[in-house]
């Protein structure tokens, strides 16, 4: 596990299942429809129960790089922030900018809703095919930059399902915490 303080925010990595996180919000790696799917999206909907799908149906979908919020229903997390990562093979040079936008928009929504703790999965690193080292680089740098510029978040955690992602995110987080400006 890596843990760094950036201004007044702790940023950490953890290996585990994001559906077990007891935080103000977990982020879901969803698709445009916001109506559920496989991977972490499926796990979150199963754990939250049918009320989550009912709430998502009212949101009218979501663009790549944007985010929308619901309650957490049956989850230990109070809210779910649904974001849509880029499909790596279809995004070309825009992939990093879109992935960065997912992280930024999710954290903006957290602040707008007065939330203090947010857990992210490795967005786009499953079905959407983003190479995990590259995704970790973008995610870690974007979060470090965001909390450097915005007050209010106490904890941002990356919850990684497998060793490979856990290693990559831990390494990139430690690097990012020591770096200055980041332009994806
Ligand atoms: N907790 C934490 N991480 C998880 C969990 C979990 N319970 N389950 C899987 N992961 P993916 P994407 C990791 O495919 O690439 C869905 O069908 C997984 O190991 O869930 O953004 C959506 O509906 C991987 O590292 O998301 C979309 O259609 C990471 O979460 C599409 O997949 C992301 O893998 C989105 O694809």
């Amino acid at each position: 596990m890596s843990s760094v303080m950036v201004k007044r925010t702790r940023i950490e990595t953890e290996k585990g299942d994001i559906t077990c996180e007891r935080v103000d919000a977990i982020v879901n790696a969803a698709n445009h429809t916001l109506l559920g799917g496989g991977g972490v999206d499926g796990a979150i909907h199963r754990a939250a129960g049918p009320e989550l799908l009912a709430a998502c149906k009212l949101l009218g979908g979501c663009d790549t790089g944007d985010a929308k919020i619901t309650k957490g229903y049956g989850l230990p997390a109070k809210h779910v922030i649904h974001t849509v990562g880029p499909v790596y093979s279809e995004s070309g040079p825009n992939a990093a900018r879109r992935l960065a936008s997912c992280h930024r928009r999710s954290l903006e929504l957290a602040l707008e809703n007065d939330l203090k703790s947010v857990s992210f999965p490795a967005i786009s690193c499953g079905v959407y095919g983003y190479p995990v080292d590259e995704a970790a680089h973008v995610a870690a740098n974007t979060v470090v930059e965001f909390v450097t510029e915005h007050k209010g978040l106490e904890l941002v955690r990356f919850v990684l399902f497998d060793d490979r992602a856990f290693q990559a995110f831990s390494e990139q987080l430690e690097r990012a915490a020591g770096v200055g400006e980041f332009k994806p």
Side-chain angles (χ1 to χ4, degrees), residues 16-18 29-31 36-41 43 122-128 159 161-162:
D17 179 348
I18 203 165
N31 59 56
V40 71
D41 193 6
I123 298 164
S124 284
C125 290
V127 179
Y128 282 1
V159 180
F161 212 42
D162 56 81

Side-chain angles (χ1 to χ4, degrees), residues 14 24 32 39 41 45 51-52 54 57-58 65-66 69 87 89 109 116 118 131-133 135 144 157 161 175:
E14 182 181 281
D24 290 338
H32 290 293
D41 193 6
H45 275 272
E51 282 174 300
L52 181 63
K57 282 183 178 160
L58 304 175
D66 200 2
I69 190 165
V87 177
S89 63
L109 268 184
K116 305 287 181 203
V118 179
V132 70
D133 289 314
V144 166
R157 183 181 285 151
F161 212 42
R175 267 192 218 170

Side-chain angles (χ1 to χ4, degrees), residues 12-173:
E12 56 188 38
T13 58
E14 182 181 281
K15 212 185 137 196
D17 179 348
I18 203 165
T19 64
C20 300
E21 289 285 292
R22 200 167 288 282
V23 285
D24 290 338
I26 60 171
V27 177
N28 182 15
N31 59 56
H32 290 293
T33 68
L34 299 185
L35 299 180
V40 71
D41 193 6
I44 288 172
H45 275 272
R46 276 194 300 279
E51 282 174 300
L52 181 63
L53 181 59
C56 285
K57 282 183 178 160
L58 304 175
L59 296 176
C62 185
D63 292 332
T64 301
D66 200 2
K68 298 200 175 174
I69 190 165
T70 62
K71 292 183 190 167
Y73 302 101
L75 290 161
K78 292 184 193 131
H79 298 84
V80 180
I81 295 172
H82 308 262
T83 190
V84 183
V87 177
Y88 189 72
S89 63
E90 293 171 5
S91 299
N94 295 317
R97 218 163 29 75
R98 290 177 184 159
L99 186 62
S101 175
C102 288
H103 292 83
R104 231 176 0 250
R105 285 292 304 130
S106 296
L107 295 176
E108 281 169 6
L109 268 184
L111 285 184
E112 283 165 23
N113 288 275
D114 216 17
L115 310 184
K116 305 287 181 203
S117 53
V118 179
S119 293
F120 282 94
I123 298 164
S124 284
C125 290
V127 179
Y128 282 1
Y130 214 117
V132 70
D133 289 314
E134 284 180 40
H137 177 73
V138 173
N141 280 283
T142 304
V143 170
V144 166
E145 186 163 287
F146 187 91
V147 304
T148 303
E149 291 169 355
H150 300 82
K151 285 184 197 149
L153 290 162
E154 289 168 6
L155 173 69
V156 180
R157 183 181 285 151
F158 292 106
V159 180
L160 296 320
F161 212 42
D162 56 81
D163 284 325
R164 179 80 187 77
F166 176 67
Q167 294 290 343
F169 275 73
S170 300
E171 210 175 293
Q172 292 294 339
L173 174 60

